[in-house]
């Protein structure tokens, strides 16, 4: 393991727990010391130089890197490769951009070194107790690491939360989409908080209770579980929540933005993810928001009263469930499009299966997704599965009413609304996009296609009208 931060150390200790003899290297001697200390009594050795670290590995060498995405990954590869031999395997376990992984893999392949992009999800605790892992690269090389990864992964119903994802940078692509889904779900929960707090005017304790209750039902998920805890976390010797002291300006490292960017490249719409990325960005315009809030104050009393009266917690739970299904639907759709475009051969059922445990987006609903794609390997879109169809139909009326009430009450619910309007659009047999074609042809002679006729057509619109 190169990079002995908490993630790297924990993953190594996890391997050592399963009886593997492991080695770690970090430029920072304090991290090496921590590994040696935490790994005492296990077959763990920390090294202070890259040379001594590599010398101590058996061949073919398997080197995992857990360093921040970007230039550092290239620096580590440059330092490491001269010490390796043909057939060795480097695994980048960070959140690297998949296009970077593609480049790195093709350069290293020429030198006979296998390069894997492996998404690892689950944070520090996941790394220690069992993460979900998404390895992509050469399938033969995968056989060397398969037994180790299967042992250290989280398990659901006795099955490990790791599988060979596909060739090239597919592992990092799938992890990127995992994170895109993560962004949308987090924003959905944040909007729910807004509705509970300002719409239904619940206090923090009541909000904690709502999330705790939902987490025991069909909405069960890791993200709801931690959210419920956040609503119970008090400042020392105080009744106040730490949450209430935290600034409302959200940071991001980039994986959500990349998901939206690459989805647009592939022309595969994921508006819930786009909106979640935009809301984190918008949150950073604090002084502008303050000015706007003063300029356009909301008529709170009346609007919030309306929401509070009409909405019920059951409806909100159902609207959440509906939106969550749409979010996963968009994410899976993006995976299937990328699989086709990049030749990844992704098995969506297997991906849903390894997301059931260990990762940040693990949720009871992943079992339904797994079943849908497992049953029908050709399923084009999650919401076409028969079982999911019934769930969509049952929860749609609540989503409709919650979005309508929130909007008329002046409360922002961009992801709830994006899920609903996306759903209506994708369920529209005759979209109004014929008009867009006519407009394009009118102003720019871009041509249009006609129903029931082959070829493209152009009309001189203004002359025909005069
Ligand atoms: C995971 C997480 C992890 C990442 C978060 C934070 O799967 O364990 O996705 O990889 O730390 O996504 O990302 P942001 O800083 O962009 O919110």
């Amino acid at each position: 393991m190169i990079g002995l931060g908490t993630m790297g150390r924990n993953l190594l200790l996890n391997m050592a727990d399963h009886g593997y003899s492991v080695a770690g290297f970090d430029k920072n001697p304090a991290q090496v010391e921590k590994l040696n200390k935490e790994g005492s009594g296990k077959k763990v050795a920390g090294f202070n130089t890259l040379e001594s670290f590599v010398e101590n590995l058996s061949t073919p060498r398997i080197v995992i890197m857990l360093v921040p995405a970007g230039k550092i990954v290239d620096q580590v590869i440059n330092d490491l490769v001269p010490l390796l031999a043909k057939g060795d395997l480097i695994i980048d376990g960070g959140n690297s951009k998949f296009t970077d992984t593609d480049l790195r893999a093709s350069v290293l392949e020429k030198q006979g070194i296998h390069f894997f992009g492996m998404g690892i999800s689950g944070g520090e605790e996941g790394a220690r107790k069992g993460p979900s892992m998404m390895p992509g690269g050469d399938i033969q090389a995968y056989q060397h690491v398969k037994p180790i990864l299967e042992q250290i992964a989280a398990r659901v119903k006795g099955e490990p939360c790791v599988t060979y994802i596909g060739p090239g940078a597919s592992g990092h692509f799938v992890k990127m989409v995992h994170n895109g889904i993560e962004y949308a779900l987090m924003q959905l929960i944040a909007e729910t908080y807004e509705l509970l707090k300002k719409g239904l005017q619940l206090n923090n304790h009541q909000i904690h209770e709502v999330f705790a209750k939902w987490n025991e039902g069909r909405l069960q998920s890791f993200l709801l579980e931690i959210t419920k805890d956040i609503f119970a976390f008090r400042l020392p010797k105080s009744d106040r929540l730490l949450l209430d002291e935290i600034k409302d300006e959200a940071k991001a490292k980039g994986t959500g933005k990349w998901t939206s960017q690459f989805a647009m490249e592939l022309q595969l719409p994921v508006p819930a993810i786009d909106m979640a990325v935009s809301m984190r960005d918008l949150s950073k315009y604090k002084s502008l928001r303050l000015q706007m809030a003063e300029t356009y104050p909301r008529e709170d009393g009346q609007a919030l009263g309306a929401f509070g009266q009409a909405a019920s917690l059951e409806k909100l739970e159902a609207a959440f469930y509906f939106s969550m299904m749409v979010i996963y639907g968009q994410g899976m759709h993006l995976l299937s499009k990328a699989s086709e475009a990049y030749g990844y051969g992704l098995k969506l059922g297997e991906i849903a299966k390894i997301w059931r445990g260990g990762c940040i987006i693990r949720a009871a609903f992943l079992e339904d997704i797994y079943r849908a794609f497992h049953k029908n390997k050709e399923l084009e879109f999650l919401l076409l599965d028969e079982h999911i169809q019934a769930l969509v139909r049952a929860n749609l009326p609540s989503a409709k009413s919650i979005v309508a009430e929130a909007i008329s009450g002046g409360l922002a619910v961009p992801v709830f609304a994006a899920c609903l309007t996306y759903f209506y659009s994708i369920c529209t047999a005759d979209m109004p996009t014929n008009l867009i074609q006519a407009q394009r042809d009118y102003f720019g002679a871009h041509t249009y296609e006609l129903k029931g006729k082959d070829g493209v057509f152009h009309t001189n619109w203004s002359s025909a009208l005069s």
Side-chain angles (χ1 to χ4, degrees):
M1 175 72 64
I2 298 181
L4 300 177
T6 321
M7 281 289 288
R9 267 198 335 271
N10 280 355
L11 209 63
L12 261 194
L13 294 170
N14 182 349
M15 290 177 200
D17 283 346
H18 288 89
Y20 288 101
S21 163
V22 297
F25 164 74
D26 199 295
K27 275 191 171 154
N28 179 353
Q31 302 288 58
V32 178
E33 210 171 292
K34 266 194 207 160
L35 173 73
N36 285 333
K37 210 164 139 198
E38 289 170 19
S40 77
K42 304 186 207 287
K43 288 184 268 178
V44 175
F47 294 91
N48 285 305
T49 69
L50 196 56
E51 288 75 10
S52 55
F53 161 75
V54 173
E55 264 167 35
N56 275 279
L57 300 177
S58 53
T59 55
R61 299 177 186 88
I62 301 167
V63 181
I64 306 185
M65 321 166 31
L66 262 171
V67 298
K71 284 200 180 92
I72 301 183
V73 175
D74 291 308
Q75 279 163 15
V76 171
I77 293 173
N78 288 343
D79 292 346
L80 180 66
V81 166
L83 308 173
L84 298 183
K86 282 192 172 164
D88 287 350
L89 169 62
I90 304 176
I91 301 175
D92 174 8
N95 275 332
S96 292
K97 203 188 242 187
F98 81 102
T99 43
D100 291 344
T101 304
D102 254 336
L103 279 177
R104 289 167 186 147
S106 62
V107 169
L108 290 170
E109 196 187 303
K110 292 188 188 100
Q111 304 174 51
I113 309 264
H114 301 294
F115 186 72
F116 266 65
M118 179 167 81
I120 305 180
S121 182
E124 295 167 4
E125 202 182 316
R128 186 71 186 86
K129 297 184 184 154
S132 172
M133 289 170 287
M134 293 144 253
D138 183 279
I139 194 162
Q140 302 302 332
Y142 180 66
Q143 304 314 318
H144 295 301
V145 275
K146 187 174 183 247
I148 309 176
L149 298 182
E150 288 187 350
Q151 283 187 63
I152 64 168
R155 299 193 97 78
V156 172
K157 299 186 178 169
E159 300 197 78
C161 294
V162 63
T163 189
Y164 173 72
I165 297 289
S170 58
H172 272 156
F173 187 90
V174 169
K175 176 60 177 21
M176 178 189 78
V177 176
H178 165 285
N179 282 25
I181 296 172
E182 173 185 303
Y183 273 53
L185 293 171
M186 288 167 77
Q187 175 64 26
L188 185 70
I189 298 174
E191 290 172 18
T192 305
Y193 163 39
E194 181 83 343
L195 295 178
L196 292 171
K197 180 179 167 185
K198 297 182 189 164
L200 293 179
Q201 312 213 327
L202 302 190
N203 63 31
N204 284 331
H205 176 67
Q206 291 167 317
I207 296 175
H208 162 81
E209 305 254 281
V210 170
F211 285 137
K213 183 164 171 238
W214 287 2
N215 193 47
E216 278 162 20
R218 61 184 182 166
L219 292 189
Q220 190 286 320
S221 70
F222 172 72
L223 284 170
L224 266 194
E225 186 186 319
I226 61 163
T227 305
K228 132 195 106 100
D229 289 349
I230 290 169
F231 279 93
F233 194 97
R234 289 189 165 65
L235 290 164
K237 296 187 196 117
S238 162
D239 267 353
R240 286 187 64 75
L241 287 192
L242 170 59
L243 178 68
D244 290 325
E245 305 301 315
I246 296 179
K247 282 190 182 176
D248 65 349
E249 295 162 66
K251 295 243 162 37
K253 290 201 202 79
T255 45
K257 178 182 77 182
W258 300 339
T259 310
S260 285
Q261 286 175 329
F262 288 110
M264 284 210 184
E265 284 293 329
L266 289 164
Q267 301 186 319
L268 188 290
V270 289
I273 298 172
D274 301 341
M275 203 44 101
V277 174
S278 292
M279 287 309 111
R280 286 203 197 185
D281 291 340
L282 188 63
S283 77
K284 288 170 210 139
Y285 291 83
K286 181 76 176 182
S287 67
L288 176 61
R289 286 194 283 120
L290 287 171
Q291 263 187 69
M292 288 294 285
E294 228 174 83
T295 312
Y296 301 101
R298 211 179 40 214
E299 290 163 29
D300 272 5
Q302 201 190 353
L304 295 179
F307 179 81
Q309 278 160 27
S312 66
L313 286 174
E314 283 91 321
K315 258 206 267 182
L316 190 50
E317 191 266 358
F320 188 109
Y321 196 69
F322 172 86
S323 309
M324 179 194 71
M325 290 191 282
V326 174
I327 290 169
Y328 280 106
Q330 290 178 7
M332 300 312 281
H333 201 197
L334 176 55
L335 289 182
S336 95
K337 178 81 179 192
S339 180
E340 213 179 275
Y342 303 139
Y344 285 158
L346 299 180
K347 297 188 178 80
L348 299 195
E350 294 303 297
I351 293 170
K353 187 172 164 190
I354 64 158
W355 284 352
R356 292 178 308 169
C359 67
I360 303 296
I361 64 166
R362 63 186 186 258
F365 184 58
L366 271 156
E367 189 67 36
D368 302 74
I369 306 180
Y370 163 54
R371 284 201 201 136
F373 286 105
H374 183 67
K375 191 172 67 192
N376 177 4
K377 310 262 183 311
E378 306 305 317
L379 183 65
E380 190 186 346
F381 189 55
L382 180 67
L383 274 52
L384 286 174
D385 171 76
E386 248 173 65
H387 164 71
I388 308 277
Q389 275 181 41
L391 296 172
V392 167
R393 285 198 192 96
N395 294 287
L396 174 64
S398 296
K400 214 161 129 179
S401 117
I402 290 291
V403 170
E405 286 158 18
I407 301 284
S408 70
L411 290 170
V413 284
V415 164
F416 275 104
C419 288
L420 190 62
T421 51
Y422 163 87
F423 177 77
Y424 284 145
S425 297
I426 205 166
C427 295
T428 301
D430 54 340
M431 284 174 74
T433 23
N434 51 340
L435 178 57
I436 290 172
Q437 283 300 78
Q439 290 164 332
R440 291 175 70 242
D441 189 57
Y442 193 136
F443 65 64
H446 295 297
T447 74
Y448 51 81
E449 290 158 293
L450 285 174
K451 294 173 186 168
K453 279 196 181 172
D454 288 340
V456 290
F457 300 88
H458 167 60
T459 294
N460 191 344
W461 297 82
S462 50
S463 74
L465 290 174
S466 62

